[in-house]
Amino acid sequence: MAQEGQKLSQPAEPGAARLGGKIIIGELIRNMELGRFEMTYTILLPCVFTIYLNPADHAALNGVFDHIIEDGRRALRARVAELNTPLRTFGVTRRAKTMKEHKIACRDWEIEFLSDIEVPVGDVEIHSELNETAQPGFRGTKTTLMEREPTASLRRTTNQLASNRPDARRTDPVYAELRYSDDSGAQVYLVTQNRVRIGRGGNDQSMDLALYTKDEVSREHLIIRRDPATGAFFLSDVSINGTWLNGKRLRKGVEERLPERADIGVGEVLTLQFEMRT
């Protein structure tokens, strides 16, 4: 989460476009549609939204956030109802055989406004999730109004991961860290448990570390295990497309000891940089 107390407000630039509620709600709807998660019979849409604004815009709109949230929820409900409405051709209602139901996994849309100094004045950066628990790999998307790369939360990745996972309190010891970049950007994962399951995950398969990336990465791709008695780490591949340790492909289901620092190749798609903490 953004730490607003550590950010300094900036005055709006002269001539900067005024950011209004209609623009923000339009971006909410666009983010919801881009973050859809398609299944066999239904399409899940994001229902948890964090809206990042420049501190100047955040201060200017602070008094009407509740009204924007209320109006935004109404607009999102209306758009979902529209997506679920059968097509009409020449006045005749026709429901396509392959038409899927659009729905959300939450009881209602959750919308929160935060300020971030890295968001330009007049821009809106929205991060969304498909459910309240925000499981990695079961997520929405990140969008911006000005079509730039999202930046609002990248530098907070380490603390955010540490605080979001129920088994990782800030006082827990950190045994190792994993650094990598997937489709959601640069990430850091702090290893505070003795077993870490890693893969794309899904709605029926939750990972300790879920990677937002291509289908070449299995839902459960690899496992990192720590021996609590010795502190040693071991790596095993449980995937279809393979796991590499410092360039060497592992035999599936056979544990290999991890050195203090190592590059772990995941399905030839991305690399996890492993480093033990002492």
Side-chain angles (χ1 to χ4, degrees), residues 25 28-29 67-77 109 111:
I25 292 170
L28 272 175
I29 293 173
H67 298 284
I68 297 174
I69 290 171
E70 180 183 358
D71 210 64
R73 285 172 175 160
R74 290 178 61 185
L76 291 167
R77 292 189 197 103
W109 281 268
I111 303 171

Side-chain angles (χ1 to χ4, degrees), residues 33-174:
E33 294 182 0
L34 289 174
R36 55 191 244 157
F37 184 82
E38 190 163 352
M39 298 181 288
T40 304
Y41 301 107
T42 60
I43 295 175
L44 283 180
L45 299 168
C47 57
V48 180
F49 300 94
T50 303
I51 303 173
Y52 295 96
L53 304 176
N54 181 273
D57 291 322
H58 190 277
L61 295 171
N62 187 52
V64 295
F65 282 153
D66 289 344
H67 298 284
I68 297 174
I69 290 171
E70 180 183 358
D71 210 64
R73 285 172 175 160
R74 290 178 61 185
L76 291 167
R77 292 189 197 103
R79 180 55 181 151
V80 173
E82 184 180 349
L83 291 170
N84 286 325
T85 300
L87 300 174
R88 292 178 64 86
T89 307
F90 302 111
V92 178
T93 300
R94 302 181 184 276
R95 185 175 183 88
K97 293 181 180 180
T98 57
M99 185 174 179
K100 299 179 180 181
E101 180 189 7
H102 293 73
K103 60 191 294 188
I104 62 174
C106 312
R107 292 184 179 180
D108 200 357
W109 281 268
E110 297 181 12
I111 303 171
E112 178 182 25
F113 284 89
L114 297 174
S115 69
D116 195 293
I117 202 168
E118 298 215 4
V119 177
V121 172
D123 198 3
V124 180
E125 181 167 330
I126 301 178
H127 298 195
S128 61
E129 301 289 347
L130 287 163
N131 61 359
E132 297 99 326
T133 55
Q135 299 173 10
F138 186 60
R139 58 183 73 169
T141 189
K142 300 176 182 178
T143 57
T144 61
L145 175 62
M146 296 181 179
E147 297 184 357
R148 60 180 179 82
E149 285 297 316
T151 57
S153 66
L154 291 182
R155 67 185 180 281
R156 291 190 296 274
T157 302
T158 301
N159 290 338
Q160 193 168 346
L161 283 169
S163 61
N164 282 351
R165 289 186 292 115
D167 62 333
R169 304 293 184 260
R170 292 186 184 275
T171 56
D172 287 346
V174 177

